[in-house]
Amino acid sequence: MVAGCSDQQAGGGKDGSAPGGSEAKDVHATGFPIVKEPLKLTFFAGKADSAPANWNDVEIWKEYAKMTGITIDWRLTPSSDPAALAQKRNVILAGGDLPDAFHTARFSSTDIANYGDQGLLIPLNGLIDKYAPNVKKLLDSNPEVKKGLTMPDGNIYSLPTFYDPSFRSVVIGSEFWINKKFLDALGMKEPTTTEEYYQYLKAVKTQDPNKNGKNDEIPFAASGVLGGIGIVDQLKGAWGLGNRGNTHSRVDVDPKTNKLRFEPADPGYKEPLEYLNRLYKEDLFIPDIMTIKGPEMLAKGKEGLYGSFIHINESASFGTQTGGYVGLTALKGPHGDQVFSRARSPLIDIGAFAITNKNKHPEATMRWVDYFYSEEGSKMFFMGIKDKSYVVKPDGTLDYSDEIKKDKEAQKKYVTFAGGFYPAMLTKNTYFGGESYPENLEAVKKIEPYYPKEVWPAFTYTQEELTRFTPLSNDINKYVDEMTVKFIMGNAPFSEWDNYIATLKKMGLEDYMKIYTAAYERYSKK
């Protein structure tokens, strides 16, 4: 690579062709080290509160620098407030003092399309073909992921957070749990329908299943996005909604017309809200479910009072191991519908990694990140350093070292994945978080028969579409959020349903769905 080459030469053609049209002279095509001479790159990264404070001191990055010949200067920005992270990222992009790449930066598909169109982020198509065999294999094996990453101009400008689709417990994330001890005490079987679940919640509330003589049981608990509104996503499949998964949490396909439908405007959406309103009125939810924060909900869970809850699992959520909770199946609704509506695409985050037009070494940068989409690279990214943070057992499986088992905080010496949104492939062989626990794997078995046959990743939009679509989306979804809460809590009577639908139409729902449909049709043809 020539240090004085133009940005366009450094980043490749606008069509995503390979940079310079030939092999970079100081980059090895395969193997380690990646470069013939030591190289230093600057990466912007979003740092979660649970991640290490200084990534320059973390063991995997020091070890990977030895392997590759490439040292990263990590410039970290807190990501606990996504809006503040986006603002910091956008200021850097507007100012022109760009890093070589953005890592764990939480770019949305809108951001990627915008900054790719401006030329600030370079197209990666040619780089993937020549320098990223692991990414190429991933995209070839998962066409829906490739379609989800490809912008309307035909270019790929970013690399994703990718979860192995066969590792469904981690793709789903939080599960729906029910208290087996309460069921046994009440003489009830696991609910399989919405009506049976309602009867169970009522029994938890009124029949003292923990036998302490107090009315202290909490029938259902969740928090944050998994609280009052999130329970809609969990249960709406019992009314046939969410048949393309929850990456698109409000749009699916109407089986009667085979056209896209906006679920909150569908007549079928009213019934799950009426169901949840009944649960809310009868005090079957944790108090303040619409506003309760995660730490408070999890702390309360240690008392063993929850009849059911949505989170990772008992052990990972509460730190208790009573064995009292089991996963609940996708419930069947009053009309016979039974869909697991909270399925997600394995394309978890579209904007985990992007290379800027200031990067004079895009080939080396692509080779650097490609490793983490391999099984070996995934092992390093999530487990750290062999015989230090993890060990290989005689049967070939991995386990944490004694140091990590004694103190989970010790992980921060070795890895930086905490908080998510990273450019890497997560697999069942290299990740041992709560989603990999046996109870989660068992829970998935109950869900799998009702998993949607097709789960969409996020769609992409043209710049012209976004000018209209973004404000429509913000306004319409904000209104739906507000009204969903009001309907569930009873602050808006269901006699106002027709007015609610009329308001959505006045807000531009028809235009919104036209743009959505255009994006879907592009996705389908890719």
Side-chain angles (χ1 to χ4, degrees):
M1 291 171 289
V2 180
C5 66
S6 70
D7 292 341
Q8 187 70 5
Q9 288 171 320
K14 186 63 180 168
D15 63 353
S17 58
S22 60
E23 299 289 347
K25 293 181 180 179
D26 55 357
V27 176
H28 295 294
T30 60
F32 292 120
I34 290 173
V35 289
K36 297 174 182 177
E37 297 294 334
L39 177 63
K40 188 171 187 177
L41 299 171
T42 300
F43 286 3
F44 173 103
K47 188 199 83 67
D49 291 344
S50 53
N54 183 357
W55 294 9
N56 295 306
D57 293 335
V58 174
E59 291 299 316
I60 64 162
W61 300 130
K62 292 191 284 189
E63 180 65 22
Y64 196 48
K66 294 176 187 175
M67 291 167 57
T68 61
I70 301 172
T71 300
I72 306 302
D73 177 15
W74 294 99
R75 299 185 180 178
L76 304 180
T77 294
S79 61
S80 55
D81 181 350
L85 173 69
Q87 182 179 21
K88 175 76 170 181
R89 191 186 61 214
N90 295 342
V91 166
I92 291 172
L93 282 155
D97 184 19
L98 300 180
D100 291 300
F102 286 90
H103 184 292
T104 321
R106 302 196 186 194
F107 280 119
S108 68
S109 59
T110 302
D111 296 325
I112 295 296
N114 184 28
Y115 293 121
D117 187 67
Q118 292 179 37
L120 295 171
L121 305 179
I122 67 169
L124 306 179
N125 309 42
L127 289 167
I128 291 170
D129 287 340
K130 279 196 171 186
Y131 297 99
N134 297 307
V135 172
K136 185 171 174 56
K137 179 181 177 183
L138 184 156
L139 299 183
D140 289 345
S141 301
N142 300 274
E144 76 281 7
V145 173
K146 184 175 184 178
K147 290 195 288 185
L149 286 174
T150 303
M151 294 295 115
D153 65 2
N155 283 324
I156 293 173
Y157 294 100
S158 63
L159 298 181
T161 305
F162 177 78
Y163 290 176
D164 179 355
S166 67
F167 193 5
R168 277 191 169 163
S169 63
V170 79
V171 175
I172 295 167
S174 297
E175 300 280 2
F176 195 14
W177 303 97
I178 193 160
N179 194 319
K180 185 68 166 59
K181 291 182 176 179
F182 283 10
L183 283 170
D184 292 343
L186 295 166
M188 303 179 79
K189 62 174 185 169
E190 288 182 32
T192 59
T193 70
T194 52
E195 181 59 27
E196 289 174 356
Y197 180 60
Y198 165 70
Q199 295 298 336
Y200 166 74
L201 296 181
K202 277 192 69 175
V204 170
K205 180 70 177 176
T206 61
Q207 296 183 29
D208 190 26
N210 66 4
K211 306 301 181 187
N212 67 353
K214 301 177 182 178
N215 184 21
D216 55 356
E217 293 87 349
I218 298 171
F220 171 77
S223 66
V225 294
L226 291 176
I229 294 178
I231 190 64
V232 178
D233 292 335
Q234 177 68 48
L235 294 179
K236 67 183 180 182
W239 283 267
L241 300 168
N243 56 42
R244 293 301 185 274
N246 203 41
T247 301
H248 295 258
S249 63
R250 285 177 172 158
V251 174
D252 68 355
V253 173
D254 187 338
K256 296 176 183 176
T257 64
N258 210 33
K259 294 180 180 179
L260 298 196
R261 68 177 168 187
F262 187 66
E263 296 168 16
D266 187 85
Y269 190 76
K270 183 180 179 183
E271 288 190 48
L273 297 191
E274 289 174 326
Y275 174 84
L276 292 170
N277 171 250
R278 176 168 55 150
L279 271 53
Y280 186 86
K281 285 192 302 184
E282 296 186 26
D283 201 21
L284 302 180
F285 291 157
I286 189 171
D288 302 318
I289 190 169
M290 302 297 178
T291 56
I292 190 170
K293 302 299 183 184
E296 184 181 350
M297 174 263 182
L298 296 179
K300 190 74 174 174
K302 295 177 181 179
E303 300 174 27
L305 300 177
Y306 294 159
S308 58
F309 70 95
I310 298 177
H311 212 267
I312 298 173
N313 57 45
E314 179 194 2
S315 178
S317 301
F318 312 137
T320 56
Q321 293 180 311
T322 66
Y325 293 94
V326 295
L328 195 59
T329 187
L331 298 176
K332 182 184 289 187
H335 311 299
D337 299 295
Q338 195 168 13
V339 176
F340 180 67
S341 48
R342 212 159 48 78
R344 286 196 299 171
S345 165
L347 176 55
I348 300 299
D349 177 40
I350 191 174
F353 190 85
I355 300 175
T356 74
N357 67 7
K358 297 299 183 184
N359 189 319
K360 304 302 182 185
H361 310 278
E363 301 90 347
T365 306
M366 180 57 76
R367 281 217 57 212
W368 183 95
V369 72
D370 180 64
Y371 182 62
F372 300 107
Y373 294 94
S374 70
E375 192 77 19
E376 281 299 309
S378 179
K379 184 193 304 181
M380 183 178 192
F381 189 77
F382 292 105
M383 300 298 290
I385 309 299
K386 184 175 179 288
D387 296 328
K388 290 185 178 180
S389 55
Y390 77 92
V391 296
V392 180
K393 297 192 290 189
D395 64 358
T397 59
L398 310 181
D399 196 5
Y400 288 118
S401 66
D402 289 341
E403 178 187 7
I404 304 300
K405 287 181 178 180
K406 290 176 184 176
D407 181 12
K408 279 288 186 182
E409 281 293 299
Q411 268 192 315
K412 291 183 178 180
K413 290 167 47 180
Y414 298 99
V415 293
T416 60
F417 71 82
F421 300 94
Y422 40 70
M425 176 179 69
L426 185 151
T427 77
K428 65 180 68 175
N429 300 320
T430 58
Y431 178 75
F432 297 94
E435 298 90 342
S436 68
Y437 287 17
E439 54 264 44
N440 289 66
L441 303 181
E442 285 299 313
V444 165
K445 291 179 183 178
K446 297 179 181 178
I447 290 167
E448 282 185 329
Y450 312 107
Y451 217 79
K453 290 184 173 62
E454 181 183 3
V455 177
W456 290 332
F459 299 153
T460 59
Y461 301 88
T462 66
Q463 289 299 303
E464 182 180 0
E465 287 170 341
L466 286 171
T467 301
R468 177 70 174 139
F469 184 76
T470 300
L472 280 173
S473 179
N474 290 340
D475 292 345
I476 288 172
N477 283 295
K478 181 181 178 182
Y479 178 66
V480 170
D481 284 346
E482 291 173 353
M483 291 306 296
T484 297
V485 170
K486 287 181 178 180
F487 282 129
I488 292 174
M489 296 179 69
N491 295 332
F494 286 97
S495 58
E496 291 186 15
W497 186 263
D498 289 345
N499 291 334
Y500 156 72
I501 297 298
T503 301
L504 283 173
K505 291 178 179 178
K506 289 177 185 176
M507 294 177 77
L509 181 61
E510 184 177 352
D511 288 348
Y512 174 81
M513 289 306 296
K514 281 181 180 178
I515 299 170
Y516 219 117
T517 299
Y520 167 65
E521 289 175 349
R522 270 196 309 274
Y523 166 82
S524 300
K525 292 174 182 176
K526 287 178 184 175

